[in-house]
PDB file of all heavy atoms in Angstrom:
ATOM      1  N   SER N  21      15.507 145.941 143.378  1.00  0.00           N
ATOM      2  CA  SER N  21      16.016 145.310 142.153  1.00  0.00           C
ATOM      3  C   SER N  21      16.153 146.347 141.042  1.00  0.00           C
ATOM      4  O   SER N  21      15.403 147.414 140.851  1.00  0.00           O
ATOM      5  CB  SER N  21      15.057 144.196 141.711  1.00  0.00           C
ATOM      6  OG  SER N  21      14.909 143.368 142.793  1.00  0.00           O
ATOM      7  N   GLN N  22      17.063 146.234 140.095  1.00  0.00           N
ATOM      8  CA  GLN N  22      17.260 146.992 138.982  1.00  0.00           C
ATOM      9  C   GLN N  22      16.077 146.936 138.210  1.00  0.00           C
ATOM     10  O   GLN N  22      15.536 145.872 137.835  1.00  0.00           O
ATOM     11  CB  GLN N  22      18.476 146.589 138.189  1.00  0.00           C
ATOM     12  CG  GLN N  22      19.781 147.071 138.743  1.00  0.00           C
ATOM     13  CD  GLN N  22      20.994 146.723 137.878  1.00  0.00           C
ATOM     14  OE1 GLN N  22      21.286 145.671 137.659  1.00  0.00           O
ATOM     15  NE2 GLN N  22      21.597 147.865 137.586  1.00  0.00           N
ATOM     16  N   GLY N  23      15.572 148.120 137.631  1.00  0.00           N
ATOM     17  CA  GLY N  23      14.387 148.138 136.719  1.00  0.00           C
ATOM     18  C   GLY N  23      13.066 148.161 137.495  1.00  0.00           C
ATOM     19  O   GLY N  23      12.012 148.429 136.833  1.00  0.00           O
ATOM     20  N   ALA N  24      13.080 147.864 138.766  1.00  0.00           N
ATOM     21  CA  ALA N  24      11.856 147.942 139.522  1.00  0.00           C
ATOM     22  C   ALA N  24      11.610 149.374 139.995  1.00  0.00           C
ATOM     23  O   ALA N  24      12.572 150.141 140.063  1.00  0.00           O
ATOM     24  CB  ALA N  24      11.976 146.864 140.704  1.00  0.00           C
ATOM     25  N   PRO N  25      10.308 149.717 140.236  1.00  0.00           N
ATOM     26  CA  PRO N  25       9.947 151.064 140.761  1.00  0.00           C
ATOM     27  C   PRO N  25      10.390 151.226 142.153  1.00  0.00           C
ATOM     28  O   PRO N  25       9.556 151.385 143.081  1.00  0.00           O
ATOM     29  CB  PRO N  25       8.469 151.125 140.386  1.00  0.00           C
ATOM     30  CG  PRO N  25       7.949 149.824 140.540  1.00  0.00           C
ATOM     31  CD  PRO N  25       9.124 148.928 140.077  1.00  0.00           C
ATOM     32  N   THR N  26      11.716 151.310 142.443  1.00  0.00           N
ATOM     33  CA  THR N  26      12.201 151.404 143.810  1.00  0.00           C
ATOM     34  C   THR N  26      13.281 152.519 143.698  1.00  0.00           C
ATOM     35  O   THR N  26      13.523 153.142 142.590  1.00  0.00           O
ATOM     36  CB  THR N  26      12.859 150.170 144.249  1.00  0.00           C
ATOM     37  OG1 THR N  26      14.016 149.944 143.356  1.00  0.00           O
ATOM     38  CG2 THR N  26      11.994 148.933 144.349  1.00  0.00           C
ATOM     39  N   ALA N  27      13.979 152.721 144.800  1.00  0.00           N
ATOM     40  CA  ALA N  27      15.016 153.799 144.783  1.00  0.00           C
ATOM     41  C   ALA N  27      16.191 153.461 143.798  1.00  0.00           C
ATOM     42  O   ALA N  27      16.913 154.377 143.370  1.00  0.00           O
ATOM     43  CB  ALA N  27      15.689 153.881 146.177  1.00  0.00           C
ATOM     44  N   GLN N  28      16.134 152.232 143.302  1.00  0.00           N
ATOM     45  CA  GLN N  28      17.208 151.771 142.370  1.00  0.00           C
ATOM     46  C   GLN N  28      17.056 152.735 141.058  1.00  0.00           C
ATOM     47  O   GLN N  28      17.932 153.097 140.339  1.00  0.00           O
ATOM     48  CB  GLN N  28      16.990 150.366 141.931  1.00  0.00           C
ATOM     49  CG  GLN N  28      18.150 149.856 141.164  1.00  0.00           C
ATOM     50  CD  GLN N  28      19.406 149.744 141.847  1.00  0.00           C
ATOM     51  OE1 GLN N  28      20.351 150.462 141.445  1.00  0.00           O
ATOM     52  NE2 GLN N  28      19.619 149.030 142.816  1.00  0.00           N
ATOM     53  N   LEU N  29      15.756 153.052 140.701  1.00  0.00           N
ATOM     54  CA  LEU N  29      15.473 154.013 139.538  1.00  0.00           C
ATOM     55  C   LEU N  29      16.226 155.292 139.690  1.00  0.00           C
ATOM     56  O   LEU N  29      16.821 155.824 138.831  1.00  0.00           O
ATOM     57  CB  LEU N  29      13.998 154.223 139.283  1.00  0.00           C
ATOM     58  CG  LEU N  29      13.114 153.096 138.863  1.00  0.00           C
ATOM     59  CD1 LEU N  29      11.627 153.586 138.888  1.00  0.00           C
ATOM     60  CD2 LEU N  29      13.449 152.733 137.533  1.00  0.00           C
ATOM     61  N   LEU N  30      16.127 155.836 140.883  1.00  0.00           N
ATOM     62  CA  LEU N  30      16.784 157.139 141.223  1.00  0.00           C
ATOM     63  C   LEU N  30      18.348 157.038 141.137  1.00  0.00           C
ATOM     64  O   LEU N  30      18.925 157.935 140.650  1.00  0.00           O
ATOM     65  CB  LEU N  30      16.386 157.620 142.579  1.00  0.00           C
ATOM     66  CG  LEU N  30      14.844 157.845 142.768  1.00  0.00           C
ATOM     67  CD1 LEU N  30      14.646 158.273 144.248  1.00  0.00           C
ATOM     68  CD2 LEU N  30      14.286 158.914 141.818  1.00  0.00           C
ATOM     69  N   ALA N  31      18.744 155.915 141.632  1.00  0.00           N
ATOM     70  CA  ALA N  31      20.258 155.602 141.503  1.00  0.00           C
ATOM     71  C   ALA N  31      20.668 155.458 140.073  1.00  0.00           C
ATOM     72  O   ALA N  31      21.719 156.080 139.727  1.00  0.00           O
ATOM     73  CB  ALA N  31      20.635 154.350 142.360  1.00  0.00           C
ATOM     74  N   GLU N  32      19.915 154.759 139.314  1.00  0.00           N
ATOM     75  CA  GLU N  32      20.156 154.555 137.812  1.00  0.00           C
ATOM     76  C   GLU N  32      20.285 155.884 137.047  1.00  0.00           C
ATOM     77  O   GLU N  32      20.897 156.093 136.150  1.00  0.00           O
ATOM     78  CB  GLU N  32      19.385 153.670 137.250  1.00  0.00           C
ATOM     79  CG  GLU N  32      19.460 152.216 137.695  1.00  0.00           C
ATOM     80  CD  GLU N  32      18.315 151.282 137.287  1.00  0.00           C
ATOM     81  OE1 GLU N  32      17.349 151.636 136.512  1.00  0.00           O
ATOM     82  OE2 GLU N  32      18.301 150.046 137.694  1.00  0.00           O
ATOM     83  N   ASN N  33      19.406 156.861 137.629  1.00  0.00           N
ATOM     84  CA  ASN N  33      19.323 158.129 136.924  1.00  0.00           C
ATOM     85  C   ASN N  33      20.324 159.180 137.602  1.00  0.00           C
ATOM     86  O   ASN N  33      20.251 160.346 137.238  1.00  0.00           O
ATOM     87  CB  ASN N  33      17.857 158.605 136.993  1.00  0.00           C
ATOM     88  CG  ASN N  33      17.545 159.527 135.878  1.00  0.00           C
ATOM     89  OD1 ASN N  33      18.063 159.570 134.829  1.00  0.00           O
ATOM     90  ND2 ASN N  33      16.547 160.544 136.119  1.00  0.00           N
ATOM     91  N   GLU N  34      21.109 158.691 138.380  1.00  0.00           N
ATOM     92  CA  GLU N  34      22.154 159.512 139.221  1.00  0.00           C
ATOM     93  C   GLU N  34      21.447 160.791 139.807  1.00  0.00           C
ATOM     94  O   GLU N  34      21.927 161.912 139.849  1.00  0.00           O
ATOM     95  CB  GLU N  34      23.254 159.969 138.157  1.00  0.00           C
ATOM     96  CG  GLU N  34      24.024 158.851 137.638  1.00  0.00           C
ATOM     97  CD  GLU N  34      25.180 159.205 136.758  1.00  0.00           C
ATOM     98  OE1 GLU N  34      25.396 160.367 136.646  1.00  0.00           O
ATOM     99  OE2 GLU N  34      25.760 158.338 136.119  1.00  0.00           O
ATOM    100  N   GLN N  35      20.315 160.545 140.518  1.00  0.00           N
ATOM    101  CA  GLN N  35      19.600 161.462 141.251  1.00  0.00           C
ATOM    102  C   GLN N  35      19.994 161.504 142.712  1.00  0.00           C
ATOM    103  O   GLN N  35      19.582 162.392 143.475  1.00  0.00           O
ATOM    104  CB  GLN N  35      18.118 161.304 140.962  1.00  0.00           C
ATOM    105  CG  GLN N  35      17.683 161.597 139.542  1.00  0.00           C
ATOM    106  CD  GLN N  35      16.185 161.394 139.474  1.00  0.00           C
ATOM    107  OE1 GLN N  35      15.870 160.306 139.035  1.00  0.00           O
ATOM    108  NE2 GLN N  35      15.448 162.309 139.725  1.00  0.00           N
ATOM    109  N   ILE N  36      20.610 160.468 143.251  1.00  0.00           N
ATOM    110  CA  ILE N  36      21.000 160.354 144.689  1.00  0.00           C
ATOM    111  C   ILE N  36      22.271 160.884 144.985  1.00  0.00           C
ATOM    112  O   ILE N  36      23.227 160.564 144.398  1.00  0.00           O
ATOM    113  CB  ILE N  36      20.810 158.839 145.088  1.00  0.00           C
ATOM    114  CG1 ILE N  36      19.382 158.336 144.913  1.00  0.00           C
ATOM    115  CG2 ILE N  36      21.116 158.744 146.541  1.00  0.00           C
ATOM    116  CD1 ILE N  36      19.288 156.830 145.179  1.00  0.00           C
ATOM    117  N   SER N  37      22.382 161.727 145.923  1.00  0.00           N
ATOM    118  CA  SER N  37      23.701 162.225 146.331  1.00  0.00           C
ATOM    119  C   SER N  37      24.164 161.740 147.744  1.00  0.00           C
ATOM    120  O   SER N  37      25.293 161.559 148.011  1.00  0.00           O
ATOM    121  CB  SER N  37      23.637 163.808 146.465  1.00  0.00           C
ATOM    122  OG  SER N  37      22.847 164.237 147.501  1.00  0.00           O
ATOM    123  N   MET N  38      23.091 161.136 148.543  1.00  0.00           N
ATOM    124  CA  MET N  38      23.365 160.640 149.858  1.00  0.00           C
ATOM    125  C   MET N  38      22.347 159.335 150.052  1.00  0.00           C
ATOM    126  O   MET N  38      21.210 159.636 149.806  1.00  0.00           O
ATOM    127  CB  MET N  38      23.052 161.693 151.051  1.00  0.00           C
ATOM    128  CG  MET N  38      23.510 161.097 152.354  1.00  0.00           C
ATOM    129  SD  MET N  38      25.189 160.571 152.661  1.00  0.00           S
ATOM    130  CE  MET N  38      26.035 162.028 152.639  1.00  0.00           C
ATOM    131  N   LEU N  39      22.911 158.327 150.529  1.00  0.00           N
ATOM    132  CA  LEU N  39      22.187 157.184 150.768  1.00  0.00           C
ATOM    133  C   LEU N  39      22.317 156.640 152.275  1.00  0.00           C
ATOM    134  O   LEU N  39      23.416 156.447 152.589  1.00  0.00           O
ATOM    135  CB  LEU N  39      22.641 156.016 149.851  1.00  0.00           C
ATOM    136  CG  LEU N  39      22.017 154.608 149.916  1.00  0.00           C
ATOM    137  CD1 LEU N  39      20.491 154.753 149.633  1.00  0.00           C
ATOM    138  CD2 LEU N  39      22.692 153.687 149.050  1.00  0.00           C
ATOM    139  N   VAL N  40      21.168 156.401 152.906  1.00  0.00           N
ATOM    140  CA  VAL N  40      21.248 155.844 154.244  1.00  0.00           C
ATOM    141  C   VAL N  40      20.441 154.644 154.012  1.00  0.00           C
ATOM    142  O   VAL N  40      19.157 154.716 153.849  1.00  0.00           O
ATOM    143  CB  VAL N  40      20.541 156.873 155.178  1.00  0.00           C
ATOM    144  CG1 VAL N  40      20.545 156.218 156.561  1.00  0.00           C
ATOM    145  CG2 VAL N  40      21.333 158.221 155.200  1.00  0.00           C
ATOM    146  N   ALA N  41      21.041 153.489 154.074  1.00  0.00           N
ATOM    147  CA  ALA N  41      20.351 152.171 153.873  1.00  0.00           C
ATOM    148  C   ALA N  41      20.962 151.130 154.781  1.00  0.00           C
ATOM    149  O   ALA N  41      22.080 151.207 155.157  1.00  0.00           O
ATOM    150  CB  ALA N  41      20.614 151.757 152.499  1.00  0.00           C
TER     151      ALA N  41
END
Side-chain angles (χ1 to χ4, degrees):
S21 302
Q22 285 185 294
T26 63
Q28 191 67 243
L29 285 176
L30 302 176
E32 291 169 5
N33 205 28
E34 299 184 3
Q35 292 175 267
I36 298 174
S37 63
M38 179 64 70
L39 175 64
V40 180

